[in-house]
Amino acid sequence: MSRVLMAGRRARLLTAAAVLALLSPLASCSSASTAVEACMGKQAASATTGEVEGTYVGEADAKGVKITLKASDTGTGGTVTVRDWPTGDWYKSELGETFDGSGTWDVEGGYEAGDHAQVHLSFTEPELFLRDYTVDMLSVAKDSERMYLYEDDDPDVCPTFRLRRT
């Protein structure tokens, strides 16, 4: 092999090594799972109704919020009651910044690779809420000691709307 070709190959290898060295700090940046893990436990790949059932109280932006999930006899979801739950823009003029209400819930997701478990809420009281007018989908995180429900809105930071099971 000629010296020119060898020098070109060496230059490409050095360039590739330099690019990898520059990108390696980015690889260690916080991802959704590590940001969640750092403050709440591992993002649950799947969850059952029995695992998620319970009473949760708010932390951070959810301070003062309370949610209770009761399982149905069928084992798929159940009833939900909330206190000081945030409203969407559409309902703020009618219900205020928060509301107390009830409805149903079920666990979704976690069936395909890369999915994670989510709790879907459907409010019927004080009146039927349309999707996206309030927080109605919460992700699940857990470790050996804690279980959290949280709004999965920014994957690079610890979720600010989170509720810990009591």
Side-chain angles (χ1 to χ4, degrees):
M1 193 177 295
S2 75
R3 286 185 180 196
V4 172
L5 287 175
M6 287 178 56
R9 179 179 277 176
R10 183 173 291 147
R12 283 192 304 274
L13 287 172
L14 288 174
T15 301
V19 168
L20 285 174
L22 289 172
L23 292 178
S24 65
L26 295 176
S28 66
C29 283
S30 180
S31 69
S33 63
T34 57
V36 169
E37 281 183 52
C39 63
M40 297 184 305
K42 188 170 176 71
Q43 189 176 46
S46 64
T48 66
T49 298
E51 289 174 317
V52 175
E53 180 181 29
T55 298
Y56 298 76
V57 294
E59 296 181 355
D61 286 354
K63 191 162 181 77
V65 174
K66 183 178 179 182
I67 184 172
T68 301
L69 304 173
K70 291 186 180 176
S72 70
D73 293 336
T74 64
T76 57
T79 59
V80 60
T81 56
V82 295
R83 190 184 79 221
D84 291 331
W85 201 257
T87 60
D89 292 337
W90 179 262
Y91 288 96
K92 283 184 182 173
S93 62
E94 188 174 326
L95 299 174
E97 296 289 319
T98 64
F99 70 96
D100 296 345
S102 61
T104 60
W105 67 280
D106 60 5
V107 180
E108 297 180 355
Y111 306 113
E112 298 179 20
D115 275 356
H116 62 279
Q118 296 181 310
V119 173
H120 175 252
L121 308 173
S122 180
F123 293 104
T124 55
E125 293 294 331
E127 63 184 67
L128 184 63
F129 269 90
L130 299 176
R131 214 173 171 90
D132 299 326
Y133 288 130
T134 185
V135 178
D136 61 4
M137 188 70 76
L138 298 166
S139 295
V140 180
K142 60 185 177 177
D143 62 18
S144 62
E145 300 171 8
R146 307 171 294 173
M147 173 80 76
Y148 277 92
L149 301 178
Y150 65 97
E151 186 176 25
D152 194 7
D153 56 354
D154 185 349
D156 295 325
V157 297
C158 182
T160 57
F161 189 87
R162 61 183 185 266
L163 302 119
R164 183 177 181 167
R165 187 165 58 192
T166 56

